[in-house]
Amino acid sequence: MSDNDIALKPKTKSKPKLDRPKLYKVILFNDDYTPREFVVMILKAVFRMSEETGYRVMMTAHKLGSSVVVVCAKDIAETKVKEAMDYAKEAGFPLMLTAEPEE
Ligand code: TYC
């Protein structure tokens, strides 16, 4: 190799992988007081679900005690939980949702 040759080193350093931000599950909980139609209305208005999907998610919570509504970024999950519970509070219903980190 002469002095003018450039020795090309293979790039061996790999970029450290950035951890993906954790996803959050929005969970809907059953109660004995909130009307079914109101729950479906909330799922349609806040979570942009169709009538059919909203009804299915509501019935899952009604029968099993809880249902996953959506999995998304933390800030979106928390904002939607607050929005849904604010609507319910305003209407005088004890509807409960939470945002929980995925395992
Ligand atoms: N259990 C309620 C009723 O029978 C309906 C309901 C369903 C409430 C799902 C909350 O997350 C819920 N009126």
Side-chain angles (χ1 to χ4, degrees):
M1 203 188 276
S2 82
D3 286 350
N4 294 330
D5 285 341
I6 300 168
L8 289 175
K9 262 205 262 162
K11 202 175 170 189
T12 50
K13 250 194 207 162
S14 57
K15 275 195 205 142
K17 289 239 164 56
L18 292 176
D19 279 342
R20 248 188 259 276
K22 225 181 218 164
L23 290 174
Y24 277 62
K25 291 183 291 193
V26 171
I27 316 268
L28 169 73
F29 292 92
N30 187 36
D31 67 69
D32 292 338
Y33 304 101
T34 309
R36 292 181 186 193
E37 313 76 56
F38 184 85
V39 180
V40 176
M41 186 274 284
I42 291 286
L43 294 173
K44 287 165 72 179
V46 177
F47 297 95
R48 303 271 172 254
M49 285 185 180
S50 65
E51 178 78 29
E52 293 69 32
T53 307
Y55 185 79
R56 190 168 43 73
V57 170
M58 179 279 293
M59 284 308 289
T60 301
H62 178 73
K63 287 182 186 160
L64 304 180
S66 68
S67 177
V68 175
V69 179
V70 69
V71 177
C72 58
K74 184 175 193 242
D75 56 340
I76 296 173
E78 286 173 346
T79 303
K80 287 192 180 284
V81 163
K82 183 174 185 313
E83 215 178 314
M85 286 179 57
D86 283 352
Y87 272 127
K89 212 180 287 170
E90 181 91 357
F93 298 127
L95 188 65
M96 169 83 164
L97 298 97
T98 60
E100 300 176 12
E102 262 203 333
E103 298 319 315

